[in-house]
């Protein structure tokens, strides 16, 4: 780490994760910087996506990378480095959730009941045709952020990995040990739930126009 | 050509939006959307929800997070850093 800035970073950044792990096994500690550069923002966003609290998310990434680098010498490459990292990040994030008492989340049954009430029909959804920059107000962002906080963790993690981190349905399924159908089911319900919250907000906002 | 109804549309909305339908199914959904403004509105708002969700979560880590992370690791892994 003390060498940061003196090393030919382009060379290190060209290496695959697997090659970096091999270098680490040979005693090269500088790969740690490269891994941090590659993954710290992604891990932070994953943790923040679930926890919705910057301080908690930061504590999680510290714990995640500490675990990863303490165990890296035993990493055999049976899964990809990024899969391993994601698994550690997910587990650490859920541990943080368990630490925090009193967080108000909806039960799966409550979410399902809400979604049943919703029905498949859209209702007043003209809002979706408004320009993107008009929709992306701070208030709208607050609405969807609040709605995310209310989702049960089982839904939140799927939305975060799939829609925010851009992992495929199959990748999410592997990480969470769910079938692709189960991933899709949770993702779909979560998206519908968030859509409903947005619709209520925009309906009030544009009422009377 | 076969047709699908609103219930069937609802069941395959996620696959339509995520591009997981085959060509025939995709054409059936498109055909239904042309005939059903309510399902079309549902689809549009569903897509827009995903769009807004992605924007919301493009959070930048706190300014000095990287420095604090390195300091933390340095204190815990002195031999490595």
């Amino acid at each position: 780490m003390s060498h940061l800035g003196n090393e030919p970073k382009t060379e290190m950044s060209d290496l695959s994760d697997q090659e970096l792990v091999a270098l680490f096994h040979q005693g090269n500690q500088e790969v740690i910087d490269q891994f941090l550069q590659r993954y710290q923002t992604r891990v932070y966003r994953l943790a923040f996506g679930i926890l919705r609290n910057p301080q908690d998310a930061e504590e999680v990434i510290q714990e995640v990378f500490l675990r990863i680098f303490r165990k890296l010498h035993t990493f055999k490459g049976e899964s990809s480095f990024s899969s391993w990292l994601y698994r550690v990040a997910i587990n650490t994030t859920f541990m943080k959730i368990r630490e925090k008492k009193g967080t108000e989340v909806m039960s799966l049954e409550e979410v399902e009941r809400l979604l049943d009430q919703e029905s498949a029909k859209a209702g007043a959804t003209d809002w979706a045709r408004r320009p993107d920059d008009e929709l992306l107000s701070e208030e709208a962002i607050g609405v969807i952020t609040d709605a995310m906080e209310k989702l049960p963790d089982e839904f939140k993690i799927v939305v975060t990995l799939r829609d925010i981190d851009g992992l495929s349905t199959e990748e999410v399924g592997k990480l969470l040990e769910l079938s692709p159908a189960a991933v899709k089911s949770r993702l779909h319900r979560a998206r519908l739930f968030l859509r409903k919250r947005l619709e209520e907000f925009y309906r009030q906002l544009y009422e009377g126009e | 050509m076969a047709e699908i109804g609103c219930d069937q549309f609802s069941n395959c909305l996620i696959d339509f939006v995520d591009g997981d339908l085959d060509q025939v199914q995709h054409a059936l959904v498109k055909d239904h959307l042309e005939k059903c403004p309510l399902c079309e509105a549902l689809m549009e708002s569903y897509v827009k929800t995903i769009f807004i969700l992605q924007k919301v979560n493009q959070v930048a880590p706190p300014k000095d997070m990287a420095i604090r992370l390195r300091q933390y690791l340095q204190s815990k892994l002195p031999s490595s850093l």
Side-chain angles (χ1 to χ4, degrees), chain A residues 1 4 29 40 44-45 52 58 66 120-122 125 128-129 132 144 159 163-164 184 188 191 195, chain B residues 6 14-15 18 20 41-42 44-46 48-49 53-54 56-57 59 62 65-66 68-70 76 80:
Chain A
M1 236 173 187
L4 189 69
Q29 305 283 336
Q40 62 185 6
Y44 178 82
R45 285 182 176 156
R52 316 304 307 177
E58 191 166 337
L66 182 61
K121 288 301 175 193
T125 50
R129 292 184 180 173
D132 291 344
I144 206 163
V159 174
D163 280 344
I164 297 160
K184 281 187 181 185
H188 185 53
R191 286 170 172 175
R195 190 197 73 85
Chain B
C6 297
I14 186 171
D15 290 326
D18 290 349
D20 289 337
L42 173 63
E44 285 175 352
S45 58
Y46 189 89
K48 208 52 79 85
T49 299
L53 186 60
Q54 288 166 342
V56 166
N57 284 282
V59 288
M65 183 195 80
R68 287 192 293 272
L69 176 59
R70 289 175 69 193
K76 299 286 181 181
S80 300

Side-chain angles (χ1 to χ4, degrees), chain A residues 163-203:
Chain A
D163 280 344
I164 297 160
D165 282 353
L167 300 189
S168 70
T169 301
E170 287 69 24
E171 287 170 323
V172 177
K174 271 189 188 172
L175 283 172
L176 301 178
E177 297 180 354
L178 292 171
S179 68
V183 172
K184 281 187 181 185
S185 169
R186 288 185 190 183
L187 180 64
H188 185 53
R189 286 177 156 183
R191 286 170 172 175
L192 285 175
F193 174 77
L194 298 172
R195 190 197 73 85
K196 185 172 170 62
R197 297 281 86 80
L198 281 175
E199 184 180 303
E200 288 165 355
F201 166 72
Y202 289 121
R203 185 186 290 156

Side-chain angles (χ1 to χ4, degrees), chain A residues 33-192:
Chain A
D33 269 333
Q34 187 54 224
F35 278 127
L36 289 178
Q37 280 181 30
R38 257 174 224 194
Y39 289 108
Q40 62 185 6
T41 299
R42 284 160 74 174
V43 173
Y44 178 82
R45 285 182 176 156
L46 171 66
F48 184 80
I50 309 298
L51 297 162
R52 316 304 307 177
N53 177 303
Q55 197 180 332
D56 290 342
E58 191 166 337
E59 286 173 16
V60 164
I61 78 157
Q62 289 179 347
E63 185 62 29
V64 168
F65 282 109
L66 182 61
R67 284 184 192 194
I68 287 290
F69 295 134
R70 276 185 171 158
K71 296 271 183 186
L72 192 54
H73 66 283
T74 64
F75 179 68
K76 300 279 190 278
E78 283 152 3
S79 63
S80 70
F81 175 83
S82 62
S83 294
W84 178 48
L85 176 64
Y86 266 112
R87 259 188 227 112
V88 173
I90 290 166
N91 289 340
T92 310
T93 302
F94 280 128
M95 277 171 61
K96 173 62 79 179
I97 290 169
R98 284 194 288 273
E99 270 175 38
K100 294 177 76 72
K101 308 275 184 213
T103 305
E104 221 176 285
V105 294
M106 300 175 78
S107 68
L108 291 178
E109 290 74 21
E110 279 177 305
V111 173
E112 284 168 8
R113 196 171 61 240
L114 267 173
L115 293 175
D116 289 345
Q117 286 168 0
E118 159 118 350
S119 91
K121 288 301 175 193
T125 50
D126 285 349
W127 62 268
R129 292 184 180 173
R130 289 180 180 258
D132 291 344
D133 54 355
E134 193 181 316
L135 294 174
L136 285 170
S137 65
E138 273 184 38
E139 290 88 347
I141 285 170
V143 167
I144 206 163
T145 304
D146 289 348
M148 275 284 282
E149 281 176 23
K150 289 198 170 71
L151 279 174
D153 299 327
E154 294 87 343
F155 288 73
K156 214 186 292 180
I157 186 72
V158 170
V159 174
T160 303
L161 290 171
R162 181 71 178 75
D163 280 344
I164 297 160
D165 282 353
L167 300 189
S168 70
T169 301
E170 287 69 24
E171 287 170 323
V172 177
K174 271 189 188 172
L175 283 172
L176 301 178
E177 297 180 354
L178 292 171
S179 68
V183 172
K184 281 187 181 185
S185 169
R186 288 185 190 183
L187 180 64
H188 185 53
R189 286 177 156 183
R191 286 170 172 175
L192 285 175

Side-chain angles (χ1 to χ4, degrees), chain A residues 8-15 20 23 30-31 34 38:
Chain A
K9 300 308 285 183
T10 48
E11 205 176 295
M12 191 73 94
S13 64
D14 286 343
L15 298 177
L20 290 178
L23 276 179
E30 289 158 28
V31 299
Q34 187 54 224
R38 257 174 224 194

